[in-house]
Amino acid sequence: MSGGLVKTTENWAILLIRLALGTIMFAHGAQKVFGVWGGPGFNQWISQAAPFAEMRPSWLWLGAAAISEFVGGALVIIGLYTRIGAFLIACVMLTAILGVHWKSGFFINAGGFEFPLALLGMAAALLIHGGGTASIDSQIGGGGGKK
């Protein structure tokens, strides 16, 4: 049943994308979920307004975003169900781009969407290729793709 989710391209370079994206998202998620590294913590995070008025109740969507960053980042780092982790991250980044950063333009120094766009691109690459050679996905039977 999970064969398609763990199937991956046998490529060591994907490890670099996984580690960079996973570390960034895991850390940002931990800020929101646990309040570490100067983050707001879960209760403060979910008390904010969601980026779109249609996202009601706001606490549910913000909670889902925080957990998606944390869990998605962890899955991507270890390479277990990498596509699921990448999908969770891609959803959060697309929402961040359109709902938060778009109005500020492209460049990050003005609050723009350049950084979330880079993260979205990394997540998209993992959605296409899977976790790569150095992943749990590859070890549990998802390898065998092109090199």
Side-chain angles (χ1 to χ4, degrees):
M1 177 171 154
S2 65
L5 288 175
V6 297
K7 188 154 184 67
T8 183
T9 302
E10 291 297 325
N11 186 325
W12 283 92
I14 294 170
L15 175 63
L16 302 174
I17 297 171
R18 279 194 13 244
L19 292 178
L21 177 63
T23 301
I24 291 166
M25 296 311 299
F26 181 82
H28 279 271
Q31 285 183 308
K32 293 173 179 95
V33 173
F34 300 116
V36 296
W37 302 309
F42 197 72
N43 288 334
Q44 187 177 348
W45 173 251
I46 65 170
S47 68
Q48 301 177 54
F52 296 107
E54 297 81 16
M55 294 178 127
R56 292 195 181 125
S58 187
W59 63 266
L60 178 69
W61 290 98
L62 292 172
I67 292 167
S68 292
E69 288 182 8
F70 184 72
V71 172
L75 290 173
V76 165
I77 287 171
I78 64 174
L80 176 63
Y81 293 111
T82 305
R83 284 189 172 92
I84 292 173
F87 177 76
L88 294 172
I89 291 168
C91 290
V92 173
M93 290 301 98
L94 188 57
T95 302
I97 289 167
L98 297 175
V100 179
H101 298 282
W102 189 265
K103 63 185 173 277
S104 298
F106 180 75
F107 293 104
I108 195 166
N109 62 337
F113 62 88
E114 102 182 88
F115 183 60
L117 179 63
L119 298 175
L120 177 60
M122 294 165 75
L126 294 177
L127 278 167
I128 294 166
H129 289 285
T133 302
S135 68
I136 295 174
D137 291 344
S138 179
Q139 301 306 311
I140 60 176
K146 58 187 169 188
K147 292 187 182 198

